[in-house]
Structure formats: structure tokens, C-alpha cells
Amino acid sequence: DAGVTQSPTHLIKTRGQQVTLRCSPKSGHDTVSWYQQALGQGPQFIFQYYEEEERQRGNFPDRFSGHQFPNYSSELNVNALLLGDSALYLCASSPTRTSGRASDEQFFGPGTRLTVL
Amino acid sequence: GIQVEQSPPDLILQEGANSTLRCNFSDSVNNLQWFHQNPWGQLINLFYIPSGTKQNGRLSATTVATERYSLLYISSSQTTDSGVYFCAVERMNYKLSFGAGTTVTVRA
């Protein structure tokens, strides 16, 4: 059973550039969330995609955008990169929250480490 | 938003020792998860425990939802237990809010 996968593993960009990160959810999961983890801190929620739409968003600027494809995989795009965008970007997946279930366990991928110079 | 506080921030243990990590949260939650982050950044699921008690080998966890806290117990610690332990909660809005983590160092 394949877990959550992310690509690339590492990425180096310069200020002002744009970047796209990719995530494939765990088998049987259709909901994908993205998190940013700065050095020495806990992950911060960016947004969540379900049924190819952004369902929930954290406190991140519009430079952060995403997409979900019909096969449930997802992309995170960051435009006009700033030095402060350097972080570990984590993708998490979870199954459809069916009727009667208040929550579901989220599973994380290995992350993409982005360095902005 | 919901606040999550973890204590202690750092913990140094001798191999074989037992320890308790605590997670306090500011509001009622419908999800609580404990993770171990390895040196490469991978978040490994330890427990999905909105309430009650669970055990998995040398690890166990208890969540007292009515009092808004959770405890993670590590028994007979090993050097491979080193890393950062995170508590994360969700309050009916699909997003996990993480604490700042507890950094555990187990010395041989």
C-alpha cells in the first residue's frame, strides 16, 4: 500500500521565481492538505483540496495557490518567491469524511525542502 | 484559532528511562494526533486519539478531551526514539493545528 508521495525532494530557487510542488495521496484517500514547516517550528496549514476545489485555507497570501486533479493528486504553486518561503513543505492525505465521522486521521508525505536564495 | 501547547520543549533521557510528554489545547477538538518527526523531516503517525487511551509497543497515549489535554508516554526509551514529537488537533474545520513540539534526545 503506497503512502503519500511528494516530489521533488529538494529544490533551490531564487527570489522572485515560481515553484510547483507535487503530491500523490495515500491509496484510498481523496483529500489533500498542504502544510509549511519553517525551521524549528511546527507545521502550519496552508490549504486543503477536496473534489478538486479548495475547501479550507490558512493564513497564507494569494501567492500560494493549488490544484487538485481528478486522480486526487495535488500541486502547490508559490509565485514571487521570498526568502521567507524557505521551508519544508508537507503534504497530507485523508479519506472522505463520511456521514457520522467527525474526523479522520491524516497521513503525511516525506516533504519537499525548498530553499530560496 | 485553537492554541496548542506542548511541554516540555526539550527532554534529554538516558537510554532505558521513561518519560511523559504533554499537550494542552484551548478548545474542544474532534481530532488529536501524535507524530514523531525523524531527522529527514518525515512525520510518522504515532496515535490518532481524539479521546481515550491507546498503546503501541513501548508507546502509549491518553487524551482527556473534557480537560483538554493529551499525554504521550515513552517507556524504556531507545536512541531511535530521538527526534521531535508533535501534537496536532483539529476543531471541525479539516485543518490540523500543531504545537511547537518536544525535542527528545536519548543518550546511550
Side-chain angles (χ1 to χ4, degrees), chain A residues 20-90:
Chain A
T20 297
L21 311 182
R22 295 175 175 82
C23 170
S24 290
K26 183 178 169 68
S27 177
H29 289 184
D30 59 3
T31 301
V32 173
S33 303
W34 287 92
Y35 294 78
Q36 179 197 65
Q37 185 178 19
L39 198 62
Q41 298 181 21
Q44 299 290 319
F45 176 80
I46 303 175
F47 43 53
Q48 183 180 87
Y49 276 83
Y50 172 68
E51 292 189 338
E52 302 180 47
E53 291 192 358
E54 183 182 294
R55 174 161 68 179
Q56 186 71 238
R57 189 177 183 93
N59 295 326
F60 281 80
D62 292 344
R63 297 187 298 107
F64 289 77
S65 63
H67 187 78
Q68 186 178 35
F69 299 93
N71 67 352
Y72 310 126
S73 66
S74 176
E75 288 182 349
L76 164 65
N77 301 293
V78 187
N79 295 323
L81 284 167
L82 304 174
L83 295 179
D85 295 332
S86 294
L88 178 67
Y89 288 85
L90 295 163

Side-chain angles (χ1 to χ4, degrees), chain B residues 13 22 56 60 83 101:
Chain B
L13 303 169
R22 186 177 180 101
N56 184 2
S60 63

Side-chain angles (χ1 to χ4, degrees), chain B residues 39-57:
Chain B
W40 299 271
Q42 173 85 55
L43 280 172
I44 299 164
N45 289 42
L46 297 178
F47 295 102
Y48 167 68
I49 187 167
S51 63
T53 298
K54 292 186 177 180
Q55 182 161 5
N56 184 2

Side-chain angles (χ1 to χ4, degrees), chain B residues 23-89:
Chain B
C23 172
N24 293 332
F25 41 96
S26 61
D27 209 338
S28 60
V29 299
N30 55 298
N31 179 13
L32 188 146
Q33 292 184 240
W34 283 98
F35 298 92
H36 177 209
Q37 189 165 43
N38 66 23
W40 299 271
Q42 173 85 55
L43 280 172
I44 299 164
N45 289 42
L46 297 178
F47 295 102
Y48 167 68
I49 187 167
S51 63
T53 298
K54 292 186 177 180
Q55 182 161 5
N56 184 2
R58 296 180 297 101
L59 301 181
S60 63
T62 295
T63 297
V64 184
T66 53
E67 296 186 23
R68 300 180 186 170
Y69 74 88
S70 183
L71 301 174
L72 177 69
Y73 304 97
I74 305 175
S75 64
S76 304
S77 57
Q78 301 177 359
T79 55
T80 52
D81 295 331
S82 296
V84 183
Y85 289 79
F86 286 104
C87 167
V89 302

